[in-house]
Amino acid sequence: MEIGRSHDLLIKRFAERLLLLFFFVRHNLKVQIMTNEEFLKSITLDGEEWRDIVGFEGYYMISSYGRCVSLDRVYEDMNRTSKHIKQRLMSFSMVANNYLQYRLWKGNKQYNVLAHRCVAEAFIPNPNNYPEVDHIDTNKTRN
């Protein structure tokens, strides 16, 4: 089962890259394409680790420092037009009670996710399925 799943993932990534190439050719764009791995390497701080955001695998990643990036991809919008999303470091907003929040998109739908929850889900094992994340130092902006 795992072999089939990884094979499907390889085909999906190849198809996404092919779509991206067609997008650049169709729009006559001459831009040097940086892979997601090269982009992450260029922005990574000392000791920082990156992982997929749960539920947004292949779209967004969160770092062990709480920074979020949007990954390079091509998607179809509601009008069935191909759109290219370049990799970028996401900005956050401060919401009620001083929590940091990211606005993520998937399937033409917007999701507001809290940074500390994304970090916890990606980096902290939760075998007991605890529903809450505790800020040990009570500083809600440290993720």
Side-chain angles (χ1 to χ4, degrees):
M1 183 69 177
E2 285 298 316
I3 294 173
R5 184 178 291 172
S6 63
H7 182 262
D8 291 343
L9 185 61
L10 281 173
I11 290 173
K12 181 182 175 189
R13 287 188 177 160
F14 176 75
E16 288 171 350
R17 280 298 193 203
L18 201 55
L19 262 172
L20 183 63
L21 180 63
F22 286 141
F23 178 85
F24 279 97
V25 169
R26 185 174 74 178
H27 295 287
N28 235 355
L29 299 174
K30 295 180 182 176
V31 178
Q32 182 178 2
I33 300 172
M34 184 184 289
T35 67
N36 288 327
E37 292 80 16
E38 292 169 336
F39 174 72
L40 288 174
K41 188 175 181 182
S42 72
I43 65 166
T44 299
L45 303 173
D46 287 339
E48 190 172 30
E49 183 183 341
W50 293 93
R51 294 190 186 169
D52 284 322
I53 293 180
V54 176
F56 295 90
E57 293 85 355
Y59 294 88
Y60 299 94
M61 294 182 90
I62 193 85
S63 82
S64 52
Y65 293 170
R67 299 193 309 154
C68 179
V69 294
S70 174
L71 298 176
D72 187 63
R73 62 190 181 278
V74 173
Y75 78 100
E76 281 188 3
D77 65 9
M78 291 183 202
N79 300 322
R80 297 189 163 256
T81 304
S82 293
K83 301 284 185 182
H84 175 237
I85 303 291
K86 288 175 37 176
Q87 357 23 11
R88 69 183 180 97
L89 195 57
M90 302 290 291
S91 59
F92 59 84
S93 57
M94 182 104 38
V95 294
N97 298 325
N98 294 329
Y99 286 112
L100 303 182
Q101 175 181 281
Y102 291 108
R103 184 171 293 149
L104 309 181
W105 289 85
K106 183 177 175 185
N108 292 318
K109 186 174 177 190
Q110 176 184 309
Y111 298 86
N112 295 317
V113 298
L114 297 173
H116 69 282
R117 291 208 57 89
C118 292
V119 171
E121 289 173 352
F123 291 95
I124 301 172
N126 186 8
N128 298 327
N129 292 321
Y130 293 124
E132 295 178 357
V133 178
D134 183 23
H135 292 270
I136 295 171
D137 64 357
T138 69
N139 184 347
K140 296 175 184 177
T141 60
R142 285 200 189 128
N143 296 300

